[in-house]
Amino acid sequence: MDYELVFFSEMSLIEWAEYIYDLLNRKMKIEVKYKKYSEYISIVCKYLSFIIETDEIVGMDVIKEVFSFEGNISIRLQIFGKTFDQGIRILFMMLALILDDNSENFMLLENGSEIILKRDKDIIYTYVQEGYETDFPYKLLGKSVIHLDRNS
């Protein structure tokens, strides 16, 4: 499954890449490969991968228009199908660490269209309704998540 993390942050893309690597490798003790290319940084483990484009961030105007969210950092990620349950748990455990460490607003989008998680002014939302195809492990965040109807 394809996801996107969008942040409004004072940290640079490279700082975010190093931070994610540090969270996964040092704090969560997951074996991770970090590779820097001319146009992007790749962070990969056996459950998921992160691609952080360092060349140019595209689509932030669409994010603002469609989701009413001002972002300046975009991180694409893919959770591998064979290890999806473990991958989604790792992602949410990592997001819990981010929530504890940082105060930046962010969104987690699925396939560029569904808001799985949105943090705005220390309030955490989801627009995912009961019965959605994926059972997201919100409890791993250690924070309350408000379920909103997308039409409200």
Side-chain angles (χ1 to χ4, degrees):
M1 289 292 256
D2 293 324
Y3 295 89
E4 181 177 11
L5 272 168
V6 182
F7 291 90
F8 184 79
S9 178
E10 292 185 19
M11 288 174 36
S12 71
L13 289 164
I14 292 171
E15 289 171 320
W16 268 105
E18 292 168 352
Y19 176 65
I20 288 171
Y21 174 81
D22 187 56
L23 286 177
L24 293 169
N25 191 6
R26 292 191 179 96
K27 288 192 177 181
M28 297 175 67
K29 306 293 185 208
I30 296 170
E31 187 177 326
V32 182
K33 293 180 181 164
Y34 181 101
K35 184 90 173 168
K36 189 173 183 179
Y37 299 93
S38 61
E39 297 173 355
Y40 67 95
I41 297 170
S42 169
I43 302 169
V44 180
C45 71
K46 67 180 183 178
Y47 309 106
L48 64 160
S49 68
F50 297 84
I51 299 295
I52 302 162
E53 294 184 28
T54 55
D55 191 23
E56 180 181 341
I57 301 174
V58 294
M60 287 300 157
D61 52 337
V62 173
I63 295 287
K64 185 176 181 179
E65 183 180 317
V66 173
F67 300 106
S68 300
F69 184 83
E70 184 82 38
N72 63 349
I73 301 287
S74 174
I75 301 170
R76 290 181 294 131
L77 56 126
Q78 183 176 31
I79 300 176
F80 306 133
K82 289 183 180 181
T83 57
F84 181 81
D85 291 340
Q86 292 167 300
I88 200 74
R89 289 182 55 78
I90 287 169
L91 174 61
F92 272 73
M93 290 187 297
M94 185 191 85
L95 290 173
L97 293 170
I98 290 173
L99 286 167
D100 288 343
D101 285 351
N102 295 295
S103 61
E104 282 102 355
N105 291 333
F106 74 88
M107 281 194 317
L108 173 64
L109 300 172
E110 181 182 61
N111 296 322
S113 61
E114 189 68 42
I115 299 173
I116 306 304
L117 208 56
K118 183 176 182 180
R119 180 187 196 175
D120 187 21
K121 300 176 187 153
D122 289 328
I123 299 172
I124 304 167
Y125 305 92
T126 184
Y127 292 89
V128 172
Q129 300 302 309
E130 234 177 271
Y132 191 71
E133 61 193 41
T134 303
D135 186 21
F136 294 102
Y138 293 110
K139 291 180 182 179
L140 291 176
L141 298 173
K143 311 264 187 237
S144 66
V145 177
I146 300 169
H147 290 264
L148 296 176
D149 183 352
R150 192 166 183 127
N151 298 321
S152 58

